[in-house]
Amino acid sequence: WPNFNGQFSGNRYSTVAQINKSNVGRLTPKWVFPVPNGGLLQGTPAVVAGIMYVPATNTVIALDAGTGAKLWSFTRPPTQGLQGNARRLGDNRALSIAGERLFMQMDNAHLVALNRFSGKVLWETEMADWHQNYNGTGSMLAVENLVVAGTAGGEEGVRGFLAAYDQETGKEVWRLWTIPAPGEKGAETWDGEDILHGGGPTWLTGSYDAETKTVYWTTGNAGPDFNGDNRKGDNLYTCSIIAVDLKTGKLKWHFQATPHDEWDWDAVQPVLLADAQWQGKPRKLLVQANRNGFLYVLDRTDGKMLLAKPLVKKLTWAKEIAPDGRPVMNPNQNPTAEGNLICPAVSGATNFFSTSFSPVTGLFYVNTMESCSVISKQPSGAWVAGKGYVGGGGRRPPELQQRKFVRAFDIRTGKVVWELPEAGEGVSWSGTLSTAGGVVFFGDDAGALSAADAATGKLLWSYAYADIPHSSPMTYVFDNKQYIAMTNGTQVYAFALPQ
């Protein structure tokens, strides 16, 4: 499990079937490791050749994957004066490993390569100047001879980009800006001065198709988040899925899920690659559960939309997605100065947490949120380094309940095959993991790691945590034993079947 989602496909599906639906009820914790100054951990551990690597803010801890014994650690203090989500302890979400090198992002948007056996720094590269509101939350994928990486800062008025760096030296090989410069292709979709601080951050790890040498990444909100008065138009390439040539960094195609975003609905959710039958023929698919409340299936060779269906029932902003991929808007669903009730909520029908697809069941598993927000807009003022750039905000009326559901979708129809309601208050940030054992693991909103039958949704097992999950589960094999691991609060938990 060398990357955020395990394999390059972005699909948290494991072919290991030692833990299955007949024995998952016997899972027990094998070891627990406390992460010093971990904050509220959102990261997914990586495991390579018996060593687990745990990400935290400016920190990597290497553990024996069988016992949880600490092997080494690398850490630096948080950057003082930083803007953005990376300043919250625990918001570093991922690592990426290739050969003897481990790649990590620092909170100040620096990319670092470590020797994975010792933690020694091999090189360090500044991706962007954090004084200009850039920050890093662990967005990178080590593929071929490159590390492809993105940065955060969408609420702070950065100009988003995706870049690739040489694994041996850290030298930048190419850079693709997600916000065009005035006069470039796509700039015509920006009418107003906000193109200069247009957002479009790339803060979540993407996926990679080795056959076509194509990287698939996602982009965040336009800036300022809730006020589009000074950026009329579609605002490319924000809230989009982009397909990028690995060797050159050239844009192959894009699909914009939310044109002219005024709801803070980044398209920064996992992009899952699957080769499956579509209308009786094999097709290379890309599947995404989008924050805006819709499930999308695209042909990943050209970006053509094949299907778009609702993820949630609380969905008011758009009636449907037209065949050309554009939303058919409902009236009066934009932010106003007084505030407007809009569904889904600002946090979305789903978010950055993991999704998975089982080729055995043919189902796509998503932790969804049924919720709405009163979203308001206000003048954003001029962009200033060191300050946010949002132009409004969202709040949940106390009388409106929110709830999470694990849902299994048929990707060919977009229909819900089964759903499992969770007994929390809609405040968790956890995703799914599916396995060949016929099990779906997920972080339960009630404050647990749970497992369900992948075909029926029947709850099979649950382990109560002390904290609400803010990360997603993963799996690995050590000494021929399958483990399920997950960070929670300031702890790393590893589960396995008893001897």
Side-chain angles (χ1 to χ4, degrees):
W1 196 283
N3 302 297
F4 180 60
N5 286 314
Q7 305 307 314
F8 291 147
S9 67
N11 185 358
R12 289 198 187 207
Y13 172 79
S14 172
T15 58
V16 182
Q18 187 180 106
I19 298 170
N20 56 58
K21 57 187 177 182
S22 67
N23 61 24
V24 67
R26 299 167 54 217
L27 270 188
T28 58
K30 286 299 182 181
W31 55 261
V32 179
F33 183 87
V35 176
N37 302 312
L40 194 59
L41 293 170
Q42 295 186 356
T44 297
V47 175
V48 175
I51 302 177
M52 174 183 284
Y53 303 91
V54 181
T57 300
N58 291 354
T59 298
V60 180
I61 301 175
L63 306 175
D64 183 299
T67 66
K70 181 179 173 180
L71 303 177
W72 59 261
S73 64
F74 168 88
T75 190
R76 288 181 185 169
T79 302
Q80 298 302 305
L82 188 76
Q83 287 293 307
N85 289 343
R87 65 185 173 183
R88 296 188 305 226
L89 287 178
D91 271 23
N92 192 300
R93 302 183 180 106
L95 307 165
S96 194
I97 298 169
E100 297 185 357
R101 292 181 176 85
L102 178 150
F103 304 97
M104 67 176 295
Q105 267 189 342
M106 311 302 286
D107 62 356
N108 61 356
H110 283 214
L111 185 63
V112 176
L114 306 179
N115 180 292
R116 76 174 186 89
F117 298 109
S118 66
K120 177 184 177 181
V121 176
L122 302 176
W123 52 256
E124 181 170 350
T125 297
E126 181 185 76
M127 296 182 63
D129 182 359
W130 69 268
H131 297 91
Q132 299 299 307
N133 292 357
Y134 287 94
N135 61 106
T137 55
S139 167
M140 78 219 95
L141 195 63
V143 289
E144 309 291 342
N145 64 325
L146 301 176
V147 185
V148 182
T151 64
E155 280 71 56
E156 291 77 42
V158 301
R159 183 189 180 198
F161 67 90
L162 185 68
Y165 303 85
D166 184 277
Q167 288 187 9
E168 290 191 7
T169 65
K171 181 180 179 181
E172 184 175 302
V173 176
W174 54 256
R175 177 172 295 210
L176 174 66
W177 294 98
T178 61
I179 306 297
E184 292 181 348
K185 182 180 179 181
E188 71 279 1
T189 66
W190 294 79
D191 182 2
E193 61 189 16
D194 281 334
I195 188 175
L196 301 176
H197 299 282
T202 48
W203 50 265
L204 188 68
T205 299
S207 301
Y208 176 61
D209 187 334
E211 183 179 343
T212 61
K213 308 294 185 186
T214 305
V215 176
Y216 300 90
W217 223 265
T218 53
T219 68
N221 58 275
D225 299 37
F226 304 101
N227 190 331
D229 290 350
N230 292 322
R231 53 173 176 85
K232 294 179 174 63
D234 284 353
N235 305 146
L236 290 174
Y237 296 89
T238 65
C239 297
S240 297
I241 299 167
I242 56 175
V244 183
D245 184 279
L246 175 67
K247 298 302 181 182
T248 65
K250 300 296 184 183
L251 183 67
K252 290 187 172 183
W253 58 258
H254 76 276
F255 177 84
Q256 188 177 45
T258 310
H260 191 70
D261 174 35
E262 292 186 302
W263 308 271
D264 194 20
W265 287 333
D266 309 58
V268 186
Q269 294 80 52
V271 280
L272 188 156
L273 312 184
D275 296 338
Q277 292 288 314
W278 187 268
Q279 297 180 349
K281 296 180 180 180
R283 201 152 188 177
K284 293 182 175 296
L285 305 177
L286 182 150
V287 187
Q288 188 195 48
N290 195 280
R291 185 166 167 173
N292 70 11
F294 286 92
L295 163 65
Y296 294 90
V297 180
L298 310 180
D299 184 320
R300 71 174 185 266
T301 65
D302 57 13
K304 179 183 178 182
M305 191 188 80
L306 303 177
L307 179 136
K309 295 292 183 180
L311 279 171
V312 288
K313 297 174 183 176
K314 292 184 177 180
L315 184 60
T316 63
W317 75 285
K319 178 182 178 181
E320 61 183 353
I321 304 299
D324 63 359
R326 298 186 66 85
V328 180
M329 297 286 295
N330 283 320
N332 304 316
Q333 285 292 285
N334 292 88
T336 61
E338 300 77 19
N340 206 358
L341 184 65
I342 299 170
C343 312
V346 169
S347 57
T350 187
N351 211 288
F352 71 84
F353 34 81
S354 65
T355 57
S356 60
F357 171 76
S358 169
V360 177
T361 63
L363 299 180
F364 178 55
Y365 304 99
V366 188
N367 227 340
T368 61
M369 168 73 84
E370 295 283 357
S371 185
C372 307
S373 291
V374 174
I375 306 179
S376 58
K377 76 173 185 178
Q378 61 190 37
S380 59
W383 179 87
V384 177
K387 293 186 178 181
Y389 196 59
V390 293
R395 61 178 178 85
R396 179 170 64 90
E399 69 274 9
L400 287 183
Q401 298 298 311
Q402 58 185 20
R403 191 169 190 182
K404 301 205 83 169
F405 294 80
V406 179
R407 289 185 169 122
F409 294 89
D410 183 331
I411 64 168
R412 294 166 184 83
T413 64
K415 293 182 178 179
V416 176
V417 175
W418 59 258
E419 69 176 23
L420 185 60
E422 301 171 40
E425 298 181 358
V427 293
S428 62
W429 293 73
S430 183
T432 69
L433 163 73
S434 57
T435 74
V439 180
V440 175
F441 294 91
F442 61 97
D444 196 313
D445 196 53
L449 173 62
S450 297
D453 186 309
T456 67
K458 179 184 177 182
L459 188 64
L460 302 174
W461 173 81
S462 192
Y463 179 87
Y465 284 134
D467 297 283
I468 301 298
H470 278 65
S471 64
S472 299
M474 55 83 71
T475 188
Y476 64 94
V477 174
F478 183 92
D479 280 352
N480 298 315
K481 180 182 285 290
Q482 184 179 8
Y483 289 77
I484 306 295
M486 184 176 175
T487 60
N488 184 259
T490 59
Q491 316 281 340
V492 185
Y493 293 81
F495 303 85
L497 296 171
Q499 298 289 352

PDB file of all heavy atoms in Angstrom, residues 83-102:
ATOM      1  N   GLN A  83      -1.111  30.133   6.506  1.00  0.00           N
ATOM      2  CA  GLN A  83      -2.536  30.183   6.212  1.00  0.00           C
ATOM      3  C   GLN A  83      -2.969  28.850   5.606  1.00  0.00           C
ATOM      4  O   GLN A  83      -2.195  28.184   4.922  1.00  0.00           O
ATOM      5  CB  GLN A  83      -2.841  31.311   5.225  1.00  0.00           C
ATOM      6  CG  GLN A  83      -2.760  32.696   5.829  1.00  0.00           C
ATOM      7  CD  GLN A  83      -3.841  32.954   6.851  1.00  0.00           C
ATOM      8  OE1 GLN A  83      -5.033  32.779   6.582  1.00  0.00           O
ATOM      9  NE2 GLN A  83      -3.439  33.365   8.037  1.00  0.00           N
ATOM     10  N   GLY A  84      -4.222  28.453   5.846  1.00  0.00           N
ATOM     11  CA  GLY A  84      -4.758  27.261   5.191  1.00  0.00           C
ATOM     12  C   GLY A  84      -4.915  26.076   6.116  1.00  0.00           C
ATOM     13  O   GLY A  84      -4.504  26.081   7.276  1.00  0.00           O
ATOM     14  N   ASN A  85      -5.503  25.011   5.568  1.00  0.00           N
ATOM     15  CA  ASN A  85      -5.832  23.826   6.359  1.00  0.00           C
ATOM     16  C   ASN A  85      -4.610  23.110   6.913  1.00  0.00           C
ATOM     17  O   ASN A  85      -4.692  22.421   7.925  1.00  0.00           O
ATOM     18  CB  ASN A  85      -6.651  22.845   5.522  1.00  0.00           C
ATOM     19  CG  ASN A  85      -8.050  23.341   5.252  1.00  0.00           C
ATOM     20  OD1 ASN A  85      -8.528  24.247   5.934  1.00  0.00           O
ATOM     21  ND2 ASN A  85      -8.705  22.785   4.252  1.00  0.00           N
ATOM     22  N   ALA A  86      -3.463  23.253   6.250  1.00  0.00           N
ATOM     23  CA  ALA A  86      -2.270  22.542   6.692  1.00  0.00           C
ATOM     24  C   ALA A  86      -1.801  22.988   8.072  1.00  0.00           C
ATOM     25  O   ALA A  86      -1.024  22.287   8.720  1.00  0.00           O
ATOM     26  CB  ALA A  86      -1.144  22.715   5.681  1.00  0.00           C
ATOM     27  N   ARG A  87      -2.271  24.131   8.530  1.00  0.00           N
ATOM     28  CA  ARG A  87      -1.840  24.596   9.854  1.00  0.00           C
ATOM     29  C   ARG A  87      -2.524  23.817  10.974  1.00  0.00           C
ATOM     30  O   ARG A  87      -2.093  23.903  12.132  1.00  0.00           O
ATOM     31  CB  ARG A  87      -2.113  26.097   9.999  1.00  0.00           C
ATOM     32  CG  ARG A  87      -3.587  26.481   9.980  1.00  0.00           C
ATOM     33  CD  ARG A  87      -3.762  27.991  10.012  1.00  0.00           C
ATOM     34  NE  ARG A  87      -5.165  28.366   9.816  1.00  0.00           N
ATOM     35  CZ  ARG A  87      -5.578  29.625   9.741  1.00  0.00           C
ATOM     36  NH1 ARG A  87      -4.705  30.605   9.848  1.00  0.00           N
ATOM     37  NH2 ARG A  87      -6.846  29.900   9.554  1.00  0.00           N
ATOM     38  N   ARG A  88      -3.590  23.077  10.659  1.00  0.00           N
ATOM     39  CA  ARG A  88      -4.229  22.250  11.679  1.00  0.00           C
ATOM     40  C   ARG A  88      -3.447  20.959  11.846  1.00  0.00           C
ATOM     41  O   ARG A  88      -3.203  20.239  10.872  1.00  0.00           O
ATOM     42  CB  ARG A  88      -5.676  21.916  11.279  1.00  0.00           C
ATOM     43  CG  ARG A  88      -6.575  23.124  11.196  1.00  0.00           C
ATOM     44  CD  ARG A  88      -8.032  22.721  10.997  1.00  0.00           C
ATOM     45  NE  ARG A  88      -8.219  21.853   9.844  1.00  0.00           N
ATOM     46  CZ  ARG A  88      -9.182  22.017   8.941  1.00  0.00           C
ATOM     47  NH1 ARG A  88     -10.027  23.016   9.050  1.00  0.00           N
ATOM     48  NH2 ARG A  88      -9.299  21.185   7.929  1.00  0.00           N
ATOM     49  N   LEU A  89      -3.078  20.630  13.056  1.00  0.00           N
ATOM     50  CA  LEU A  89      -2.336  19.404  13.300  1.00  0.00           C
ATOM     51  C   LEU A  89      -3.149  18.192  12.846  1.00  0.00           C
ATOM     52  O   LEU A  89      -4.332  18.071  13.168  1.00  0.00           O
ATOM     53  CB  LEU A  89      -2.003  19.276  14.789  1.00  0.00           C
ATOM     54  CG  LEU A  89      -0.917  20.211  15.334  1.00  0.00           C
ATOM     55  CD1 LEU A  89      -0.736  19.995  16.828  1.00  0.00           C
ATOM     56  CD2 LEU A  89       0.395  19.999  14.595  1.00  0.00           C
ATOM     57  N   GLY A  90      -2.515  17.314  12.082  1.00  0.00           N
ATOM     58  CA  GLY A  90      -3.183  16.102  11.606  1.00  0.00           C
ATOM     59  C   GLY A  90      -3.665  16.172  10.186  1.00  0.00           C
ATOM     60  O   GLY A  90      -4.103  15.166   9.631  1.00  0.00           O
ATOM     61  N   ASP A  91      -3.586  17.353   9.541  1.00  0.00           N
ATOM     62  CA  ASP A  91      -4.163  17.516   8.206  1.00  0.00           C
ATOM     63  C   ASP A  91      -3.236  17.064   7.073  1.00  0.00           C
ATOM     64  O   ASP A  91      -3.535  17.334   5.910  1.00  0.00           O
ATOM     65  CB  ASP A  91      -4.577  18.963   7.971  1.00  0.00           C
ATOM     66  CG  ASP A  91      -6.010  19.221   8.419  1.00  0.00           C
ATOM     67  OD1 ASP A  91      -6.497  18.469   9.270  1.00  0.00           O
ATOM     68  OD2 ASP A  91      -6.636  20.175   7.927  1.00  0.00           O
ATOM     69  N   ASN A  92      -2.141  16.402   7.381  1.00  0.00           N
ATOM     70  CA  ASN A  92      -1.329  15.796   6.321  1.00  0.00           C
ATOM     71  C   ASN A  92      -1.895  14.410   6.042  1.00  0.00           C
ATOM     72  O   ASN A  92      -1.930  13.556   6.926  1.00  0.00           O
ATOM     73  CB  ASN A  92       0.137  15.705   6.734  1.00  0.00           C
ATOM     74  CG  ASN A  92       1.024  15.364   5.556  1.00  0.00           C
ATOM     75  OD1 ASN A  92       0.862  14.321   4.937  1.00  0.00           O
ATOM     76  ND2 ASN A  92       1.959  16.233   5.249  1.00  0.00           N
ATOM     77  N   ARG A  93      -2.338  14.168   4.808  1.00  0.00           N
ATOM     78  CA  ARG A  93      -3.168  13.000   4.530  1.00  0.00           C
ATOM     79  C   ARG A  93      -2.450  11.830   3.895  1.00  0.00           C
ATOM     80  O   ARG A  93      -2.982  10.722   3.878  1.00  0.00           O
ATOM     81  CB  ARG A  93      -4.342  13.424   3.635  1.00  0.00           C
ATOM     82  CG  ARG A  93      -5.172  14.518   4.290  1.00  0.00           C
ATOM     83  CD  ARG A  93      -6.374  14.904   3.470  1.00  0.00           C
ATOM     84  NE  ARG A  93      -7.107  15.946   4.184  1.00  0.00           N
ATOM     85  CZ  ARG A  93      -7.132  17.230   3.845  1.00  0.00           C
ATOM     86  NH1 ARG A  93      -6.452  17.633   2.781  1.00  0.00           N
ATOM     87  NH2 ARG A  93      -7.808  18.105   4.548  1.00  0.00           N
ATOM     88  N   ALA A  94      -1.254  12.035   3.325  1.00  0.00           N
ATOM     89  CA  ALA A  94      -0.707  10.946   2.524  1.00  0.00           C
ATOM     90  C   ALA A  94       0.794  11.050   2.352  1.00  0.00           C
ATOM     91  O   ALA A  94       1.395  12.130   2.474  1.00  0.00           O
ATOM     92  CB  ALA A  94      -1.379  10.920   1.149  1.00  0.00           C
ATOM     93  N   LEU A  95       1.370   9.911   2.024  1.00  0.00           N
ATOM     94  CA  LEU A  95       2.755   9.765   1.609  1.00  0.00           C
ATOM     95  C   LEU A  95       2.757   9.010   0.284  1.00  0.00           C
ATOM     96  O   LEU A  95       1.737   8.445  -0.108  1.00  0.00           O
ATOM     97  CB  LEU A  95       3.549   8.970   2.652  1.00  0.00           C
ATOM     98  CG  LEU A  95       3.474   9.466   4.089  1.00  0.00           C
ATOM     99  CD1 LEU A  95       3.996   8.400   5.041  1.00  0.00           C
ATOM    100  CD2 LEU A  95       4.272  10.752   4.240  1.00  0.00           C
ATOM    101  N   SER A  96       3.906   8.980  -0.388  1.00  0.00           N
ATOM    102  CA  SER A  96       4.038   8.149  -1.586  1.00  0.00           C
ATOM    103  C   SER A  96       5.443   7.577  -1.609  1.00  0.00           C
ATOM    104  O   SER A  96       6.415   8.287  -1.326  1.00  0.00           O
ATOM    105  CB  SER A  96       3.763   8.971  -2.856  1.00  0.00           C
ATOM    106  OG  SER A  96       3.573   8.125  -3.972  1.00  0.00           O
ATOM    107  N   ILE A  97       5.546   6.292  -1.923  1.00  0.00           N
ATOM    108  CA  ILE A  97       6.820   5.580  -1.820  1.00  0.00           C
ATOM    109  C   ILE A  97       7.163   4.935  -3.150  1.00  0.00           C
ATOM    110  O   ILE A  97       6.306   4.348  -3.822  1.00  0.00           O
ATOM    111  CB  ILE A  97       6.738   4.504  -0.721  1.00  0.00           C
ATOM    112  CG1 ILE A  97       6.473   5.167   0.641  1.00  0.00           C
ATOM    113  CG2 ILE A  97       8.025   3.674  -0.653  1.00  0.00           C
ATOM    114  CD1 ILE A  97       6.108   4.200   1.728  1.00  0.00           C
ATOM    115  N   ALA A  98       8.440   5.066  -3.533  1.00  0.00           N
ATOM    116  CA  ALA A  98       8.958   4.406  -4.730  1.00  0.00           C
ATOM    117  C   ALA A  98      10.396   3.994  -4.442  1.00  0.00           C
ATOM    118  O   ALA A  98      11.241   4.839  -4.136  1.00  0.00           O
ATOM    119  CB  ALA A  98       8.898   5.326  -5.946  1.00  0.00           C
ATOM    120  N   GLY A  99      10.680   2.689  -4.531  1.00  0.00           N
ATOM    121  CA  GLY A  99      12.022   2.202  -4.249  1.00  0.00           C
ATOM    122  C   GLY A  99      12.429   2.512  -2.830  1.00  0.00           C
ATOM    123  O   GLY A  99      11.689   2.229  -1.878  1.00  0.00           O
ATOM    124  N   GLU A 100      13.591   3.113  -2.665  1.00  0.00           N
ATOM    125  CA  GLU A 100      14.084   3.450  -1.334  1.00  0.00           C
ATOM    126  C   GLU A 100      13.678   4.848  -0.896  1.00  0.00           C
ATOM    127  O   GLU A 100      14.065   5.295   0.189  1.00  0.00           O
ATOM    128  CB  GLU A 100      15.613   3.333  -1.296  1.00  0.00           C
ATOM    129  CG  GLU A 100      16.113   1.913  -1.550  1.00  0.00           C
ATOM    130  CD  GLU A 100      17.610   1.786  -1.386  1.00  0.00           C
ATOM    131  OE1 GLU A 100      18.271   2.827  -1.128  1.00  0.00           O
ATOM    132  OE2 GLU A 100      18.129   0.665  -1.509  1.00  0.00           O
ATOM    133  N   ARG A 101      12.891   5.539  -1.719  1.00  0.00           N
ATOM    134  CA  ARG A 101      12.521   6.916  -1.401  1.00  0.00           C
ATOM    135  C   ARG A 101      11.080   7.007  -0.902  1.00  0.00           C
ATOM    136  O   ARG A 101      10.177   6.391  -1.459  1.00  0.00           O
ATOM    137  CB  ARG A 101      12.703   7.816  -2.623  1.00  0.00           C
ATOM    138  CG  ARG A 101      14.154   8.021  -3.032  1.00  0.00           C
ATOM    139  CD  ARG A 101      14.247   8.942  -4.238  1.00  0.00           C
ATOM    140  NE  ARG A 101      15.630   9.222  -4.598  1.00  0.00           N
ATOM    141  CZ  ARG A 101      16.364   8.426  -5.385  1.00  0.00           C
ATOM    142  NH1 ARG A 101      15.819   7.328  -5.899  1.00  0.00           N
ATOM    143  NH2 ARG A 101      17.621   8.739  -5.649  1.00  0.00           N
ATOM    144  N   LEU A 102      10.920   7.815   0.118  1.00  0.00           N
ATOM    145  CA  LEU A 102       9.600   8.159   0.636  1.00  0.00           C
ATOM    146  C   LEU A 102       9.405   9.654   0.412  1.00  0.00           C
ATOM    147  O   LEU A 102      10.264  10.461   0.766  1.00  0.00           O
ATOM    148  CB  LEU A 102       9.513   7.827   2.123  1.00  0.00           C
ATOM    149  CG  LEU A 102       8.200   8.157   2.846  1.00  0.00           C
ATOM    150  CD1 LEU A 102       7.978   7.175   3.995  1.00  0.00           C
ATOM    151  CD2 LEU A 102       8.178   9.585   3.403  1.00  0.00           C
TER     152      LEU A 102
END
